[in-house]
Amino acid sequence: MPFAKLFTANFLPQLVQVYLKQVEGYATGQVWMSLRVRSLVAMFLSDCVKEKSSWKLVKPHTEGIVSHFIFPQMCFSRADQELWEDNPVEYVQKRIDPLDDFGSPHVAASSLLIDLAVDRKKSTLSFILSFINNVLTTYAQSPAEARDPRAKDGALNMMGALCGGLCSRKSPIYDTLPDFLLTHVLPEFKSQLGFLRARALDTYCRYSSVQFQDKQVLGSIFESVFGLLSDPELPVRVHAALALQPMIENEDVRDVLSSHLPQVMQMFLNLTNEIDSDTISPVIEEFVEVFADRMEPFAVQLAQQLCDTFMRVMSDAVSKVPEITSANLDDISDKTMAAMGVLKTLGTLVLNLEGSPEVVYNLEEVLFPVVRFVLEQRLVDLYDEVFEILDCCMFAVKAVSANAWGLFESIYTCFTNDGIDFIEEMLPSLDNYVS
């Protein structure tokens, strides 16, 4: 008998029972589990959900797993509260970027929930949605002093995790999503609790494709989200920025935003400087692309601020390179990703100003010192982005400017050192120099 079949028939049932007993003990408070153990248990159960033979063993316990194991991991915890208050930057990096929080029980529980709802939809989705609805309804109907905001956070977090399937027109609750947002999500924009404001923004962002019959609702949502860009809590401001990104697909929102564009971009840049990660970079990049025709008057100013951000972030990262330790390696990686996001935004800015060569020429004076810095410091992870910027500038100006020629020596030195490995990235720019 093949080992896989032997294991499945003789060992897996006993293993599943051990795990389920641990989950039951955790649910009743009789078993303590560390964060890592909870994460590993959730991962094991996810694998069991996908495997037909093990699913038969797990299925009778699904309701208990959802309500007593998954749900507590999805709620805003005391540890979350401490991190929020003591180090909001780290909170943003861990809770908003799932890669930074990889291996946490929150991420593992979320994955388990999705596996249950997607892979075993017929058996589990109805109960999961009913459980979430009960939590939200209980919260809404309870007196203010009796409400459990952490439970509501967990329920909204579960809804956010399931957004991929629930936003589909084939979803069993698709027609009720507008009421869900109006009743349980949008009111929390004005919550006294920062973590509920952040959760409401995150949930709306995930369900932003939902259409409202009353067109004025979107205008009201925009006003609330725009106002939360100035929230005193950093995680709320970051979630507000992320929630604005899908809203600019609406023409009415774009018209309103255009008059506040310099202010909004400044807020985005301030957030980038505060968190030193690439979390906001995709938002800035999309704004630059969507509002390209309105960026021209302050394009040089925007580019200068982005370059200042880049130099601050990477100068700090470069200073730590000679003494890389396990403690600062993650920080250097985060800063490099943040810098990469800034460079991509600068490339998008240049590309969308293709029809204004005189503006791009002025941009070169701001951008090329950054390009030179990357080449001279041999920051190979950023070569692709800086050569893209150089190529875009040459394409827009339709010539090799004096500024571009000033970079040629740095490019040659880079090529003779380690640039040969990046000849593919260099070729478009080198071709421009030659032709």
Side-chain angles (χ1 to χ4, degrees):
M1 180 183 291
F3 175 75
K5 290 184 178 180
L6 179 67
F7 179 85
T8 301
N10 298 303
F11 295 97
L12 184 59
Q14 284 75 20
L15 282 174
V16 171
Q17 291 305 319
V18 170
Y19 273 80
L20 291 174
K21 188 173 181 179
Q22 291 295 304
V23 170
E24 182 182 353
Y26 172 78
T28 57
Q30 297 176 345
V31 174
W32 179 83
M33 288 188 188
S34 67
L35 297 178
R36 182 58 177 161
V37 169
R38 277 180 265 162
S39 176
L40 292 172
V41 168
M43 291 179 185
F44 176 81
L45 292 176
S46 287
D47 290 336
C48 289
V49 168
K50 297 171 186 175
E51 176 62 38
K52 185 176 180 180
S53 57
S54 55
W55 167 242
K56 293 179 181 179
L57 302 171
V58 173
K59 184 178 178 180
H61 305 273
T62 301
E63 294 185 6
I65 291 172
V66 171
S67 56
H68 299 301
F69 183 72
I70 294 178
F71 177 62
Q73 317 304 323
M74 305 292 281
C75 294
F76 191 79
S77 66
R78 287 183 180 144
D80 292 332
Q81 184 72 46
E82 290 177 5
L83 188 60
W84 177 295
E85 294 173 354
D86 297 341
N87 195 338
V89 172
E90 186 177 351
Y91 179 90
V92 168
Q93 292 172 344
K94 282 194 170 183
R95 294 296 182 266
I96 296 182
D97 186 349
L99 292 179
D100 280 353
D101 208 21
F102 182 77
S104 76
H106 167 264
V107 173
S110 180
S111 298
L112 173 56
L113 179 69
I114 294 170
D115 288 337
L116 284 168
V118 174
D119 294 337
R120 304 299 173 184
K121 180 178 179 179
K122 292 182 179 179
S123 304
T124 65
L125 185 58
S126 177
F127 170 77
I128 291 172
L129 295 177
S130 176
F131 174 80
I132 294 172
N133 183 63
N134 287 339
V135 173
L136 295 175
T137 302
T138 299
Y139 181 91
Q141 295 177 350
S142 299
E145 64 276 7
R147 290 176 174 175
D148 183 357
R150 297 179 190 275
K152 178 161 188 178
D153 176 83
L156 292 181
N157 198 1
M158 292 172 74
M159 283 294 292
L162 299 174
C163 66
L166 298 183
C167 281
S168 167
R169 291 189 178 275
K170 296 180 180 179
S171 164
I173 63 166
Y174 179 79
D175 293 334
T176 67
L177 288 178
D179 288 336
F180 158 72
L181 292 174
L182 289 169
T183 305
H184 300 295
V185 178
L186 303 185
E188 298 302 340
F189 285 168
K190 299 179 181 179
S191 172
Q192 297 297 311
L193 300 170
F195 71 86
L196 268 186
R197 296 197 298 276
R199 180 62 63 199
L201 286 165
D202 177 62
T203 306
Y204 171 72
C205 185
R206 293 170 184 266
Y207 287 90
S208 58
S209 61
V210 174
Q211 301 294 316
F212 297 95
Q213 290 184 348
D214 185 354
K215 301 300 181 183
Q216 294 182 350
V217 172
L218 184 60
S220 176
I221 294 173
F222 168 73
E223 291 179 4
S224 297
V225 174
F226 184 74
L228 289 171
L229 278 176
S230 303
D231 193 273
E233 303 282 1
L234 174 62
V236 177
R237 296 198 299 275
V238 173
H239 276 293
L242 296 174
L244 271 183
Q245 184 176 6
M247 297 184 74
I248 59 176
E249 296 178 5
N250 183 277
E251 187 175 349
D252 294 334
V253 171
R254 288 200 301 270
D255 291 340
V256 175
L257 260 177
S258 61
S259 59
H260 301 285
L261 203 53
Q263 178 187 357
V264 172
M265 296 303 291
Q266 186 61 56
M267 289 177 173
F268 289 165
L269 291 171
N270 292 342
L271 282 174
T272 300
N273 286 327
E274 284 187 78
I275 61 179
D276 277 356
S277 78
D278 62 337
T279 304
I280 305 296
S281 296
V283 183
I284 301 177
E285 189 172 350
E286 185 158 349
F287 266 69
V288 167
E289 189 171 344
V290 171
F291 295 103
D293 57 330
R294 299 170 191 178
M295 288 286 179
E296 189 172 321
F298 60 96
V300 175
Q301 178 187 355
L302 174 62
Q304 183 63 65
Q305 290 180 307
L306 286 168
C307 289
D308 290 344
T309 297
F310 174 89
M311 293 301 295
R312 179 186 61 77
V313 170
M314 285 313 298
S315 295
D316 187 25
V318 168
S319 68
K320 295 179 179 179
V321 169
E323 301 178 359
I324 290 182
T325 64
S326 59
N328 64 20
L329 183 59
D330 287 342
D331 187 47
I332 293 173
S333 177
D334 288 341
K335 290 181 183 298
T336 301
M337 292 300 295
M340 189 179 296
V342 170
L343 291 177
K344 288 180 179 178
T345 302
L346 287 169
T348 301
L349 179 63
V350 174
L351 194 61
N352 284 280
L353 290 171
E354 174 191 339
S356 305
E358 64 284 351
V359 177
V360 175
Y361 183 80
N362 292 329
L363 283 176
E364 287 185 345
E365 298 182 1
V366 175
L367 299 176
F368 285 178
V370 166
V371 176
R372 181 177 287 107
F373 175 83
V374 171
L375 298 179
E376 291 179 352
Q377 294 294 329
R378 298 168 70 174
L379 304 175
V380 295
D381 291 335
L382 303 176
Y383 279 3
D384 192 11
E385 284 72 27
V386 295
F387 280 112
E388 178 74 17
I389 289 174
L390 180 58
D391 185 41
C392 288
C393 286
M394 291 179 174
F395 180 77
V397 176
K398 300 294 189 291
V400 180
S401 65
N403 294 323
W405 277 116
L407 283 174
F408 189 75
E409 183 177 350
S410 297
I411 294 174
Y412 176 75
T413 303
C414 167
F415 179 80
T416 56
N417 290 328
D418 47 16
I420 187 65
D421 295 326
F422 301 91
I423 186 64
E424 187 175 344
E425 288 81 0
M426 291 182 173
L427 272 178
S429 298
L430 292 176
D431 182 63
N432 287 329
Y433 277 111
V434 173
S435 59

